[in-house]
Amino acid sequence: MSSYKGRMGQDVENQGNNLPKQRWDAPKDKVPTDRTLVVGAGEPGKKRRQRYVEKDGKCNVHHGNVRETYRYLSDIFTTLVDLKWRFNLLVFTMVYTTTWIFFGFIWWLIAYIRGDLEHAEDRDWTPCVNNLNGFVSAFLFSIETETTIGYGYRVITDKCPEGIVLLLVQAILGSIVNAFMVGCMFVKISQPKKRAETLMFSHKAVISLRDGRLCLMFRVGDLRNSHIVEASIRAKLIKSKQTKEGEFIPLNQTDINVGFDTGDDRLFLVSPLIISHEFNEHSPFWEISQAQLAKEEFEIVVILEGMVEATGMTCQARSSYLDSEVMWGQRFMPVLTLEEGFYEVDYDTFHNTYDTPTPSCSAKELAELAKKGEAIPLPPADPPKLATGPGSDTELPEGPGTRAGEEEEGGGGEEEEVFRRDSEEGRGEAQNVTNGDVNKMENGE
């Protein structure tokens, strides 16, 4: 059991480093089974969570102690495509150079055995290849033959049957090498990985009420005008668990329903969309309240898939949200506005959220209150304030439904009121324009 824990700990913890071959024998080195693995953040006394999937979609899983390396060679094409560019170009150059040198050596060997090199100056001698007088000229003839250049200076004669057979073999093998290597380079160049760079996920996920139900929400968007065809979204909850029998399952994956039953997981991603997961009886967040959320350790992995409109190849973009990146009592700021004849998306507010009254109890407790006919316990409505945004110095006020620190008392009251009033007016205007009717555009207003 300890050796199993040691191997699992190596895969998760030793990110970017060579996996040390060691055993977890000391009790202090055993992997904890009650919480998800954590690693130090470089500062004493401070710890940070180890991501399973980075924000840019990179998976933090390293495969160690793989002894059956022959499996990679059984699928050599995929292995070459997966190589880094510098190694791929090195293999590409070495394969062609090796074949040219190999066949050049055979051409030189035929000329040497036939005695063509000794009669290079004899005009009455019929060689296998005209004007082949050494290894360098044999190497050049090999390149001309395989690449079908044919300068016309070195030509095979009809008095050399072994040379004719070698010419056929080199032509066939050269075509195979060309098909394999050019195909490998084409697939690597046309990989749709870079297309995922223009697919955006919000930096934070939020929890708030939608139609009287608690929902987990995050935002996705596409920066390109060429769309993702047949786009679909799915989400996974990554959380370690322990079964009733005592078995510990590290990084257990649980499906999060983001509209599979209703078809809402199939997206028409022309403008940014807010993906919602409703907290119901089948949700893993059914019994989680705001207070319990602060104690939980989990990661939500979101996966956006679709076909690139320009190439028809499948593209996948990934991101993740740690428990500290899930904001209770927040909503996303509107980004879509109606202009003269078109809709405009403002990506400056793509990641921004604002406070909204949200009960701090769990979805299960809300359902029990609804059965009893009691009102939903909402916190007092404070003036909303702009929340998240990368690099923003604005902090959230403390109160139910937020995770911000305390506001300092006194000072800046007048400036704060102006900021709040501007935020309210700006958001109200954006909502009115977003939800405005099309008659305004038709009447030229």
Side-chain angles (χ1 to χ4, degrees):
M1 181 65 180
S2 61
S3 61
Y4 160 73
K5 293 179 181 178
R7 289 194 296 271
M8 188 273 293
Q10 292 175 7
D11 288 344
V12 179
E13 291 189 324
N14 293 300
Q15 175 189 1
N17 301 324
N18 294 328
L19 299 175
K21 295 181 179 180
Q22 60 182 3
R23 295 178 60 87
W24 299 80
D25 295 325
K28 63 179 181 180
D29 289 333
K30 291 185 178 179
V31 177
T33 59
D34 57 338
R35 298 176 71 84
T36 306
L37 292 175
V38 295
V39 295
E43 299 179 10
K46 184 179 180 181
K47 293 196 174 185
R48 67 175 178 87
R49 286 284 310 283
Q50 174 63 65
R51 286 185 178 274
Y52 190 62
V53 176
E54 293 288 348
K55 298 295 281 186
D56 60 358
K58 178 183 176 182
C59 298
N60 286 324
V61 177
H62 296 261
H63 302 282
N65 302 325
V66 179
R67 294 179 175 84
E68 298 177 347
T69 55
Y70 66 88
R71 295 180 180 270
Y72 295 104
L73 297 178
S74 62
D75 187 12
I76 186 65
F77 187 83
T78 304
T79 301
L80 290 176
V81 172
D82 289 341
L83 286 177
K84 294 182 178 180
W85 268 109
R86 55 180 177 269
F87 298 117
N88 198 282
L89 293 175
L90 177 63
V91 171
F92 186 86
T93 304
M94 291 300 298
V95 167
Y96 276 107
T97 304
T98 302
T99 55
W100 294 337
I101 293 177
F102 173 74
F103 283 104
F105 173 76
I106 296 181
W107 284 114
W108 174 84
L109 186 62
I110 292 176
Y112 177 79
I113 294 175
R114 284 174 50 90
D116 294 344
L117 302 180
E118 299 175 358
H119 299 83
E121 303 298 333
D122 188 356
R123 295 185 178 275
D124 296 332
W125 180 268
T126 303
C128 183
V129 179
N130 289 329
N131 302 313
L132 195 152
N133 51 19
F135 179 77
V136 175
S137 59
F139 175 70
L140 293 176
F141 179 72
S142 174
I143 296 177
E144 295 175 22
T145 302
E146 189 166 332
T147 58
T148 65
I149 294 177
Y151 290 116
Y153 183 69
R154 298 178 184 87
V155 182
I156 188 172
T157 63
D158 56 356
K159 302 300 183 180
C160 182
E162 60 272 22
I164 296 175
V165 173
L166 180 60
L167 180 66
L168 294 175
V169 172
Q170 185 173 4
I172 294 173
L173 292 181
S175 300
I176 295 175
V177 171
N178 287 336
F180 187 84
M181 297 309 300
V182 173
C184 177
M185 294 296 293
F186 175 77
V187 171
K188 189 168 184 63
I189 291 173
S190 59
Q191 277 185 314
K193 289 183 178 180
K194 295 301 181 181
R195 180 63 177 90
E197 298 292 334
T198 53
L199 296 175
M200 293 181 60
F201 295 89
S202 58
H203 292 159
K204 306 288 185 180
V206 299
I207 296 177
S208 60
L209 288 176
R210 260 196 178 185
D211 297 327
R213 295 176 179 269
L214 283 176
C215 295
L216 170 73
M217 292 169 283
F218 58 91
R219 179 181 271 164
V220 297
D222 187 3
L223 298 179
R224 287 189 179 273
N225 291 328
S226 59
H227 309 308
I228 296 293
V229 182
E230 296 291 333
S232 61
I233 189 78
R234 52 195 174 99
K236 292 279 189 178
L237 176 65
I238 309 297
K239 181 182 178 182
S240 301
K241 63 173 292 187
Q242 192 163 1
T243 63
K244 297 179 180 179
E245 295 77 16
E247 177 189 6
F248 175 68
I249 305 177
L251 303 177
N252 181 61
Q253 300 184 13
T254 305
D255 277 327
I256 298 178
N257 189 356
V258 289
F260 178 78
D261 300 334
T262 59
D264 292 338
D265 61 329
R266 295 186 289 273
L267 310 179
F268 181 51
L269 198 57
V270 177
S271 60
L273 300 175
I274 296 178
I275 310 302
S276 176
H277 164 67
E278 180 183 316
F279 292 2
N280 52 31
E281 295 85 351
H282 306 289
S283 171
F285 302 102
W286 173 242
E287 299 181 357
I288 290 184
S289 62
Q290 180 183 3
Q292 188 177 358
L293 179 66
K295 303 176 183 178
E296 292 288 330
E297 287 190 355
F298 60 84
E299 184 174 353
I300 299 172
V301 177
V302 293
I303 306 169
L304 176 62
E305 293 178 320
M307 291 187 299
V308 181
E309 188 178 37
T311 63
M313 302 185 72
T314 303
C315 172
Q316 184 181 92
R318 298 181 294 266
S319 188
S320 70
Y321 302 98
L322 295 178
D323 52 273
S324 59
E325 297 170 340
V326 178
M327 314 301 293
W328 192 287
Q330 300 284 320
R331 281 182 186 162
F332 286 106
M333 294 285 291
V335 295
L336 195 63
T337 57
L338 178 61
E339 302 295 337
E340 187 67 27
F342 61 91
Y343 291 95
E344 182 177 1
V345 178
D346 181 13
Y347 281 98
D348 284 341
T349 58
F350 182 86
H351 303 285
N352 291 349
T353 63
Y354 64 93
D355 294 341
T356 181
T358 304
S360 59
C361 59
S362 65
K364 181 179 180 180
E365 295 171 346
L366 282 180
E368 293 175 353
L369 292 177
K371 287 182 180 179
K372 298 177 181 179
E374 299 181 9
I376 298 178
L378 293 176
D382 294 332
K385 190 175 181 180
L386 188 63
T388 61
S392 175
D393 296 328
T394 306
E395 297 182 356
L396 289 173
E398 185 185 16
T402 66
R403 287 189 178 182
E406 294 185 357
E407 258 188 290
E408 297 183 0
E409 297 182 1
E414 182 177 352
E415 296 179 1
E416 181 181 345
E417 289 298 325
V418 172
F419 177 79
R420 289 180 176 176
R421 185 166 58 251
D422 292 343
S423 300
E424 292 175 1
E425 292 173 0
R427 182 170 63 258
E429 181 181 356
Q431 290 175 341
N432 291 336
V433 175
T434 301
N435 301 321
D437 66 51
V438 186
N439 292 331
K440 291 183 179 181
M441 182 177 64
E442 295 177 351
N443 296 331
E445 295 182 3

